[in-house]
Each structure stands twice: as structure tokens, then as C-alpha cells.
Amino acid sequence: MPAVVAINEDWSFTQVGGGKANAVGEWTPVSQFPTTTHAELVKSGKIPDPFVGLNEWEVQWLGEVEWQFKTTFSVPEKTISDKCIDIVFDGLDTNAIIELNGQKLAETDNMFVSYRIPVKNHLKSGENELLLTFPSSFLIGKKLEAEHGKFVLWNGDSSRLHVRTAQYRYGWDWGPVLLTTGPWKPIYLQSYNARLEDLRVTSVVEESLNVRIDVDLALSADVPAKASIFLKDVSGKTLKSTEVALKKGSGRGTFEAKAGELELWYPVGYGKPVLHTVIVEVVDEEGNILDSKSQKIGIRRARVVQDPLTEEEGRTFLFEVNNVRIFCGGSNWIPADSFLTNIKDERYRAWLQLLVDGNQNMVRIWGGGIYEMDIFYDTCDELGILVWQDSMFGCGQYPAYDDYLRRVELETEQNVKRLRHHPSIVIWAGNNEDYQVAESYNLELDYNDEDPKTDFRKTNFPARYIYERTLPDIVGRFSDIHYHRGSPYSGFGKDTRNREYGDIHQWNVWHGSQEPWHNWDILSGRFVSEFGMQGYPDIRTVDHWIGGNKAERYPQSRTICNHNKADGFERRLELYLMENFKHAFDIESYVYYTQVMQAETLASAYRLWRRNWRGKGKELTAGALVWQINDCWPVTSWAIVDYFLRPKPAYYTIKRELNTYTVGMTRKETKQSTVESSAAFFEIDTIMEIWATNSTLSEKKVTLQVKTFDLEEGKEGGGLEQEVVLAPNASKEVWKGSLAKFGQPIRTKLSEVPKTLIVSARLLDGNEVLARYSNWPEPFKYIHFPEPSTLGFRITPQGSSSTSPRTQTYTLSTAKPIKGIVLDVEEGEARFSDQAIDLFPGDPQTVTCEILGDASDVKQVKVKARFLGDGTA
């Protein structure tokens, strides 16, 4: 049986030749292992925290000097006698020279690759010294660029394209330039006579839901052996077992089951994410255990469906699991820290639990970061989160010379093999936005060229060879994961801007043509895998990066601008604020208004695109993944949850739009001439459309209740109530008509100001409110809000439960409609169950408030509220 010895103690590090970090020959013990330079130097106080103030620019030198890490470890005589002894490096960041007992073993050149090196002849009984030298990957990238050419890109230094490392650390439009290095994953010694070198478990689920599970295994040596294979349920009960005699060190075991015999894995919201465990034990002829491995799997049938649509041009781009078509509402994921070794398992779990708690069912691992840690995918499997996996290429014209291809091939094979058993992973995309870069720079790109003989390496878009030859070959040979050439990618000879095929990154809100967010319905695609809007983080996060410098505590300060990396963010934020809000400029107000703007923008997108999920053959939009759920440092960005896991209001508005049942509305003005050939005589009517959605697989009878309120007159208007049957797993149009029915006059002059008519729609099941939405006239800046004292707004405490004494319950009620309520506490910190709340008379809402950190008397916590028209602007 292989023996594993972790090499994780007594590590120290030094700046080679001395310098700002240490004197010549001075070694500093590490505080943790694995680790990296920046993480250690911040903890030891030798560099300032680069997340605070302008300190990012105080530590740029770290990425351009050489570092060493060393340790000694003991090897007993018994281990030396084993037939094989390997030292395994799960990850070295990035270029490294490995020396053991003064002998050079290897040089590394890829952050995403693990290295296994035979060391039996280099070890000695007793103490052994391991030395890792990390030259500057940045400077190596510069040399490679000088040798192989400078290529175009978006974000960061162009030399990054030649280095197989996490690209985001070169600086992105949401992240700092922090080029760290070091042993970022575990290192261990493994001794064995023979080991399981490869284990592949493939679940083949037919359309009938009959199941076949193939277990392929390979030993490191051709020795006489047999394998016992067990399939167990979550309780550990053995459901099936078999024995396989290995031939030439390899073999296959197979299990078969009829539909219903084994529980299937489903994404969250559609069933249970049931996991099984496959256990393999290999013994030699004498019955001695050579090796054993276990792997958690989910049995499921997953497909990407690209079928012709019945009512529109184009094809679907949707995910189907176990014959159920899934509307994917989710987020894009970037690395959760600039220093990856600072992310502990519990932090990964907290992030992914937030995603599920927000009613999201998909996460896209973006191609400028890393192939994530095992704990990330394990948690997605357990929670039922679908994973869209990118290969690590982002926003660039990547090269494809021989040595680069060698690195990419090894990286891809290793990571496909590592990740292929996860039921959560349903698609593998070749890159992030590299085809868009090629389009924007007019590189050689003919989407109709599908000739397998074409050598794209001879064009000025050489990485097309990687995306259309190398990656699909490796993903196809070593897994059954659906391969998609890039994100976005349309296919069918169309470019990436096409909205009728494939997936799209819809950045014409914020970037591009800077459309109003109200135009999301005409900006839809078959699957929108990126879109977004910026919003400030929690004021506590802003205060963290200000670092106590009160002179910098205003929106246009140098420090605050350094913590927003998007080009032209000042113009874009103010464009959308000025178009829609009467707002103030103090920092607390700027946080509030940008957050509400982000919340309104993103909720509108999900609301309008979920409307496009109209049933089989009519899935005009099959998914929306917001850019982005998280941050890698404290910053103003497109994230809906900030670096410290503080959700922004947008997190909650998205959560509401991804509820099991939702109701949505649009109001649009129509203008018709009443006198032929005249521009002076016309009528302006306001048309309201109302729809509802149902994500369950059954019809649902509900009551649609619509009420109106004239905000300026201060009284309720007309309404309606009708029974509606919602179709399963689809949206349904439930009402369309003129708001004149509810008291909005038809206008005949542009000088006639329409009434400020608030429309509230609810879906009711008896007395239970299944869904609610209030539609307000826009832009909000034109509204004359009532004096706050006349609203009748109440936040009424209801106490706490005995099981959660730190969680208080409050009821919100009002006599007049209120828009965009964001709650906070006067002192300390709390997390509320809802934010950016629209309140309507006669429809009180209940929220919970979890007190975080220290609070001497939870009952004395005071809740405060911001809302549009609260008198601050």
C-alpha cells in the first residue's frame, strides 16, 4: 500500500541575494504551508497590506526578484527500501528549480500542472534538504515574448500570454497587479511498489434513464493483480460490486442498473444532488493491497442541446439534466483572493452556499484565473451547482509555438483527468473572449473554415489551433464533458456577437454602446454567459481600503479610484446614475445609489430573460450568468458580493428573480398620430405587460392580483384579480393592456406629465404570497417622492427565536409605496435576509437580521433604512 508523507513543516524562505525582504542569507520561517511570498511578507509585517490604500504600488518589486523556499524532512530506512519513491508537487507557482540534497531534479514552467519526480536514488535515510528556487516568471515571460513575439490582448502586460500562470494577477479591470510566487499547493513523498496511476469512472445514462457505470483503472506497473470495485450510497451501503483481473496493469469493471434502481444526481431546485462513492482496491497474487482509491460520483445524463427553435431564427443553447431542461441562473467566478493560499476550505463553502442561498444553480469558472481547488468542485457536487469550466486562456491572442503547446497539452490532460468525475461539470469551454479579441483586432478568422487540414498556427490567430484541435481532442479522449470552443462562441459560422446561436457576453450595458438597462429584452441571447453592472461594496469594505485616511473618504479620491480598475468607470457610473437617479455625492450616498442602480439593472436582466424561457422549442434565452459573484480584493467592481462575503443589494434582487415562482411587468409608451400627416396631434398610451414564471415540473394554479397607487395623489387606484394556470418549467404571459384601465390618462401633449402610478403584482396561493413585483415609472429621477414623514413607514421588531437568538425578525410596512429600501444597523454589522426592497401598502414584508460579530445586547440593535426619496438627495 502506498505510504504518503507530507512535506509541510519547517519551511522558510528568502529573497535571493538579499534586498527589501531580508538580509543576504537571512531565512524567514513561513506562517503556513502551502504559501506564497506576498502572503508571508504581509503576515510578517515586512510589506504593507497591498489591499489597503495605494500599497499595491509599494510591492511591485516582489514579482521581479528571485525567491527560494527550503525545508528539511526525515525519511526512515523502511521507506528507502520501497521499490518506488516519488516526490509530488501538486502545484508550484510558476517557474521553479527543484533541488534535493544539492542535486537538481527538475525545472517547472506551469502553475496549473502537478509534478511527480522519482527520487529513490536521491534520498538518504534521515534528514534530506529540499530547495525550491523561483525566478521571476514576469521576467521569464518578457524573454519568451522577445523570442516568440508580442501579441495583442485586453488587460495586463502582454508578456502574460507566454506564461502558463493565473492571468488575472497581471491586473484586470477589477483586480490589482500582484505577481506572487511560491509552493501554492501541497508537496508530499509517496513510496510504493505499484500504485493506481489512473482511475476513470464514467456514468452513461441513456434517455430511458437506464444506467451503465464504467470503471477504468491503470496501475503504474504491469504486475499480476486484481481489483475489487464497489459502488456505495451516501450511507456507505454497498449497492453493487465486481472483481476485475488486471491485464498489462489495466482493467475495466462495469455496473448496470435499470431506470429508478439508482438515485440520480440533479441540480439544485430540480431534485437531490445524490452522490455515490466508487471504491477500488487492488491486490497482488498474495492478497497484499497494492493501492486503493475512492471517488465520489453523481449519476446523471447531461447534455448541451442546440436544437432549432420553433418560432424564431437560430438554435437553443441549453443544458438538459436527466431529460429535464434547466434554466441556468447563476454567476461567473473569479479567484476569491489575489493570494490563493489564503483561501481556506470553509471560505470556499461559504461562497458557494451564498450562491445556492441566492437561488442560483450555475457557476462559470472564468478562464483568466485557475482550475479551482478540489474543494470547490466537491462542494458544487454536494450542493447541486452546475459548473461551466473554462480553460485558462483569457482576453488574448495566445501563441501556439511547440514549447507552449507542450505546456498546454500537459496542463489540459492533467486537469481534465482530475475533474472529469464531478457531476457538476457540464461544459468545458476553450477560452474566455479570445475569439472576441481576434474579431476586434481583425485577426485571420474565418468561422466557415472547418477544414481539419488547416493549420491555424500559420495565421496571426495561432491559438485557434489550441481551441479547435488540441483542447477538443484531449477533453474528448479523457472525459465525456461537452466541449465548447470558447465563451462567447456562436458556432454555425457566426461571429461572437450573434444573438441567435451559442452563448453571448452582453456588454452593451456598461461597455459597448452603453445601452439603457431597460433594453435587456432586445439585448438577449440564447445563453448570456456574461453581463453586469458595477456597484460599490458595503461601506465597511470601503473604509477597510481607505485604511483610516478620512481625507480620502469621498468618491473621487485617489485611493477610492485606485480601488476601481475599470477603464472610464467614472463616466459610466455617472452615465447610468444621471440617466436614472437624483443622487447625492457623500460617500455613504454614493454607495447606496450605485448599489440600487446595480440591483435594478441586474434584476431587470434576469426578469426579462427568464421571460424568454417559454417552453420546449421556445427557449429563446436558456441562461444568464452575471459578471460576477465575487472579488479577489476589496474593490468597487461588478461583483454582487464583495471580497469580505458581504452581499450587495443586487444579490437579493437576483435571488428574487430566480425564485421558484416570479411575476414580471413592463410598461412601455406607444405614440399614435390622430391626424394624418401631422406631428402635433397624437395620443400617448402606456401599455402594461405582465408575465409569470414557474420553474417546477408541474402546472400551478395561482391568483394574479394587481393593485395601483397614485403616489402624488396619495391614494390607491384600480386593479384586477384573476386566476392563472402557470405552465411547468416555463414563463407565461398573463395580462396585457392599457394603464388607462387603472387610471393613467392617455396624453395628447408631451407637456402633460403622466401620473406617478405604482403598479404592484402578486401571485397568490390562497393567503400565501408566491411572488411579488412593483413596477415604478422610470426614470426614477423624475419622481416627486412624498416627504418621508408622510409615508407611514414602519420597521417593527418581532423578536428572535430560541434557536437563533442572534437573529431578529422585523416587519416592514407602509401607507405609501417605497422604492429601494436598503437596511443596516446603527452600530456593528448585520446580514439581512432581503435588501433593495420595494414596499407597497397592504403588503407588509418580513425580513430577518443576523447580528454579526460582537453585540452585547442583540435586542438593543437599531435598524436603519435608506430608500429613494429619503431626503438625502
Side-chain angles (χ1 to χ4, degrees):
M1 185 75 175
V4 173
V5 178
I7 305 176
N8 57 7
E9 295 181 352
D10 300 324
W11 283 91
S12 58
F13 75 107
T14 188
Q15 180 184 345
V16 177
K20 294 183 180 181
N22 50 257
V24 176
E26 179 187 3
W27 290 80
T28 304
V30 302
S31 62
Q32 65 178 48
F33 194 86
T35 194
T36 54
T37 51
H38 286 71
E40 290 301 327
L41 292 171
V42 169
K43 288 177 183 177
S44 65
K46 292 188 175 181
I47 62 170
D49 185 349
F51 290 177
V52 174
L54 304 178
N55 291 340
E56 168 194 356
W57 307 113
E58 296 292 323
V59 298
Q60 291 303 304
W61 60 271
L62 274 80
E64 299 186 21
V65 299
E66 188 168 83
W67 300 89
Q68 287 182 329
F69 289 76
K70 72 175 181 179
T71 188
T72 58
F73 60 95
S74 181
V75 179
E77 184 67 39
K78 181 182 176 182
T79 298
I80 296 290
S81 65
D82 284 347
K83 182 178 180 181
C84 301
I85 310 174
D86 298 341
I87 189 168
V88 181
F89 302 86
D90 279 348
L92 297 173
D93 181 8
T94 291
N95 295 88
I97 301 165
I98 303 169
E99 295 177 76
L100 180 62
N101 296 327
Q103 292 183 297
K104 178 179 173 182
L105 298 182
E107 291 191 32
T108 75
D109 55 12
N110 194 324
M111 178 184 182
F112 309 125
V113 165
S114 67
Y115 297 88
R116 174 180 288 271
I117 304 170
V119 292
K120 182 175 175 64
N121 296 330
H122 302 282
L123 286 174
K124 58 186 179 181
S125 178
E127 293 297 302
N128 293 262
E129 183 180 75
L130 179 61
L131 176 67
L132 306 176
T133 303
F134 292 89
S136 167
S137 294
F138 176 79
L139 298 180
I140 288 173
K142 284 293 189 182
K143 291 179 182 177
L144 289 170
E145 183 177 60
E147 179 181 355
H148 296 285
K150 187 181 180 74
F151 297 98
V152 298
L153 79 168
W154 301 328
N155 296 296
D157 190 274
S158 57
S159 66
R160 72 172 172 83
L161 301 175
H162 295 269
V163 184
R164 295 310 300 153
T165 193
Q167 303 284 276
Y168 77 106
R169 295 185 310 196
Y170 285 76
W172 225 263
D173 54 7
W174 37 259
V177 181
L178 292 170
L179 294 169
T180 195
T181 191
W184 76 292
K185 284 188 175 183
I187 301 172
Y188 57 92
L189 205 66
Q190 186 179 46
S191 58
Y192 57 93
N193 292 318
R195 64 181 180 85
L196 273 168
E197 193 170 55
D198 193 26
L199 174 63
R200 178 177 180 178
V201 182
T202 305
S203 299
V204 180
V205 182
E206 300 172 357
E207 188 174 0
S208 65
L209 301 186
N210 289 339
V211 175
R212 189 185 80 246
I213 301 173
D214 294 327
V215 182
D216 293 286
L217 53 119
L219 283 178
S220 60
D222 180 5
V223 296
K226 67 178 180 179
S228 298
I229 306 173
F230 306 90
L231 178 68
K232 300 193 175 191
D233 65 13
V234 68
S235 70
K237 177 184 175 182
T238 298
L239 302 177
K240 292 181 179 291
S241 63
T242 188
E243 285 194 355
V244 178
L246 302 187
K247 297 179 180 179
K248 295 184 179 180
S250 63
R252 167 181 286 190
T254 298
F255 302 126
E256 293 187 348
K258 296 293 185 184
E261 184 180 348
L262 297 174
E263 289 189 272
L264 302 182
W265 184 93
Y266 283 89
V268 60
Y270 291 86
K272 295 179 180 179
V274 176
L275 295 175
H276 294 79
T277 302
V278 171
I279 298 175
V280 177
E281 292 182 353
V282 181
V283 298
D284 62 18
E285 290 179 307
E286 285 76 40
N288 300 311
I289 297 178
L290 294 174
D291 201 356
S292 67
K293 279 190 178 180
S294 67
Q295 210 168 74
K296 284 189 177 181
I297 67 165
I299 303 168
R300 52 94 175 117
R301 171 183 170 86
R303 298 197 307 142
V304 174
V305 179
Q306 298 185 77
D307 286 345
L309 291 159
T310 59
E311 297 178 357
E312 284 196 10
E313 176 63 31
R315 291 175 177 263
T316 62
F317 190 94
L318 64 87
F319 293 87
E320 182 184 273
V321 179
N322 303 330
N323 302 332
V324 178
R325 297 188 169 198
I326 311 292
F327 180 87
C328 295
S331 291
N332 283 268
W333 171 269
I334 65 171
D337 208 297
S338 290
F339 311 126
L340 296 165
T341 55
N342 285 346
I343 313 172
K344 307 307 178 187
D345 287 0
E346 55 269 22
R347 193 162 154 209
Y348 272 120
R349 290 192 183 96
W351 273 113
L352 293 168
Q353 189 63 55
L354 263 177
L355 187 134
V356 169
D357 291 344
N359 294 326
Q360 299 187 38
N361 61 13
M362 176 174 268
V363 63
R364 172 177 172 245
I365 299 176
W366 167 76
I370 62 170
Y371 304 94
E372 273 297 347
M373 302 292 195
D374 291 339
I375 183 63
F376 185 98
Y377 303 98
D378 290 342
T379 305
C380 289
D381 292 346
E382 293 164 9
L383 296 178
I385 301 169
L386 298 172
V387 174
W388 176 309
Q389 177 70 53
D390 280 1
S391 281
M392 293 302 117
F393 303 90
C395 299
Q397 177 196 14
Y398 283 87
Y401 47 86
D402 289 347
D403 182 65
Y404 192 83
L405 275 178
R406 172 192 61 79
R407 286 180 274 158
V408 169
E409 288 166 356
L410 181 60
E411 161 193 324
T412 305
E413 179 177 338
Q414 281 196 9
N415 283 285
V416 168
K417 286 181 174 180
R418 176 172 71 95
L419 302 177
R420 64 191 174 194
H421 69 282
H422 289 285
S424 53
I425 301 177
V426 291
I427 188 171
W428 194 295
N431 65 82
N432 173 79
E433 296 186 352
D434 292 354
Y435 284 96
Q436 284 190 309
V437 169
E439 291 169 2
S440 69
Y441 285 96
N442 295 313
L443 303 182
E444 296 167 76
L445 177 57
D446 178 4
Y447 282 111
N448 291 306
D449 184 358
E450 295 289 344
D451 186 346
K453 296 179 181 179
T454 301
D455 188 353
F456 299 123
R457 289 173 292 183
K458 296 179 179 179
T459 71
N460 60 9
F461 184 32
R464 190 176 176 189
Y465 182 89
I466 296 174
Y467 312 142
E468 300 185 24
R469 302 285 192 269
T470 306
L471 299 185
D473 173 64
I474 295 172
V475 174
R477 277 192 291 126
F478 295 111
S479 80
D480 59 351
I481 303 170
H482 178 91
Y483 179 77
H484 188 54
R485 289 177 175 174
S487 183
Y489 190 82
S490 300
F492 302 95
K494 311 295 184 182
D495 67 28
T496 61
R497 294 163 294 188
N498 187 279
R499 295 173 46 238
E500 297 170 337
Y501 296 85
D503 71 311
I504 190 172
H505 290 187
Q506 185 47 272
W507 281 108
N508 281 316
V509 172
W510 183 271
H511 290 303
S513 55
Q514 297 178 6
E515 299 285 328
W517 76 64
H518 316 87
N519 288 352
W520 284 126
D521 52 350
I522 61 174
L523 297 171
S524 63
R526 298 298 175 237
F527 194 105
V528 187
S529 46
E530 278 191 26
F531 68 101
M533 172 59 71
Q534 281 205 352
Y536 266 63
D538 189 289
I539 188 64
R540 298 165 183 84
T541 301
V542 176
D543 284 335
H544 176 88
W545 79 56
I546 289 173
N549 187 354
K550 293 184 179 180
E552 291 287 287
R553 203 174 183 270
Y554 63 97
Q556 304 100 320
S557 76
R558 186 183 300 273
T559 300
I560 285 183
C561 286
N562 190 62
H563 285 258
N564 190 330
K565 298 297 187 180
D567 287 342
F569 69 87
E570 300 98 335
R571 297 188 297 275
R572 287 171 169 85
L573 283 174
E574 275 305 307
L575 167 68
Y576 287 100
L577 284 171
M578 287 295 291
E579 281 185 345
N580 294 283
F581 300 93
K582 177 186 177 184
H583 73 90
F585 272 95
D586 63 280
I587 188 62
E588 286 84 0
S589 292
Y590 214 70
V591 167
Y592 169 74
Y593 284 103
T594 61
Q595 286 185 346
V596 170
M597 175 179 70
Q598 182 191 40
E600 287 290 314
T601 302
L602 301 183
S604 175
Y606 279 96
R607 186 181 310 121
L608 291 165
W609 293 338
R610 195 170 170 191
R611 184 188 191 183
N612 283 345
W613 182 256
R614 299 177 184 176
K616 190 169 184 178
K618 295 178 285 187
E619 299 97 340
L620 307 184
T621 302
L625 308 180
V626 70
W627 184 269
Q628 65 226 56
I629 192 170
N630 63 325
D631 279 322
C632 67
W633 74 316
V635 66
T636 295
S637 75
W638 297 271
I640 61 173
V641 182
D642 73 28
Y643 172 78
F644 295 108
L645 286 101
R646 293 170 174 142
K648 300 179 188 179
Y651 168 85
Y652 298 95
T653 59
I654 292 170
K655 177 180 178 178
R656 293 199 293 267
E657 295 303 331
L658 291 175
N659 270 330
T660 304
Y661 306 101
T662 68
V663 61
M665 290 181 276
T666 58
R667 70 170 82 191
K668 296 187 178 182
E669 292 186 347
T670 62
K671 183 179 178 182
Q672 283 192 320
S673 176
T674 56
V675 176
E676 189 174 351
S677 301
S678 172
F681 300 96
F682 51 81
E683 289 183 346
I684 299 175
D685 195 4
T686 306
I687 304 300
M688 175 72 70
E689 295 182 0
I690 306 176
W691 65 92
T693 69
N694 168 19
S695 66
T696 74
L697 306 183
S698 303
E699 287 187 345
K700 180 67 175 179
K701 294 181 180 179
V702 299
T703 300
L704 170 67
Q705 182 189 78
V706 178
K707 293 184 177 181
T708 61
F709 194 101
D710 187 322
L711 197 62
E712 294 192 359
E713 292 187 9
K715 64 180 182 180
E716 288 196 30
L720 65 84
E721 195 166 293
Q722 67 184 44
E723 301 303 308
V724 176
V725 178
L726 302 182
N729 199 17
S731 67
K732 181 172 182 175
E733 304 297 308
V734 294
W735 191 84
K736 180 178 180 179
S738 170
L739 271 185
K741 175 183 175 68
F742 301 129
Q744 182 68 268
I746 293 176
R747 298 149 59 203
T748 59
K749 292 180 289 186
L750 293 178
S751 57
E752 292 176 350
V753 178
K755 288 186 175 183
T756 306
L757 201 65
I758 317 302
V759 184
S760 166
R762 301 195 299 173
L763 299 182
L764 305 175
D765 184 2
N767 293 323
E768 181 185 2
V769 180
L770 300 178
R772 59 165 62 86
Y773 170 60
S774 291
N775 182 281
W776 286 61
E778 298 186 52
F780 305 125
K781 65 184 179 181
Y782 290 157
I783 296 174
H784 296 158
F785 290 99
E787 285 295 319
S789 61
T790 70
L791 293 172
F793 179 38
R794 299 285 183 270
I795 304 175
T796 307
Q798 303 295 332
S800 61
S801 69
S802 58
T803 56
S804 302
R806 296 180 65 82
T807 300
Q808 300 284 305
T809 300
Y810 296 87
T811 298
L812 310 184
S813 59
T814 188
K816 295 178 182 179
I818 305 178
K819 178 74 182 173
I821 299 170
V822 173
L823 302 168
D824 204 345
V825 288
E826 293 282 0
E827 296 181 2
E829 185 172 359
R831 179 177 292 178
F832 290 85
S833 60
D834 203 2
Q835 292 284 23
I837 299 163
D838 293 347
L839 206 56
F840 198 83
D843 185 21
Q845 297 186 44
T846 299
V847 298
T848 59
C849 170
E850 179 189 1
I851 307 302
L852 306 175
D854 295 328
S856 56
D857 188 350
V858 173
K859 294 182 180 179
Q860 296 303 313
V861 170
K862 294 183 179 179
V863 175
K864 60 182 179 179
R866 293 290 303 262
F867 49 88
L868 297 189
D870 62 7
T872 57

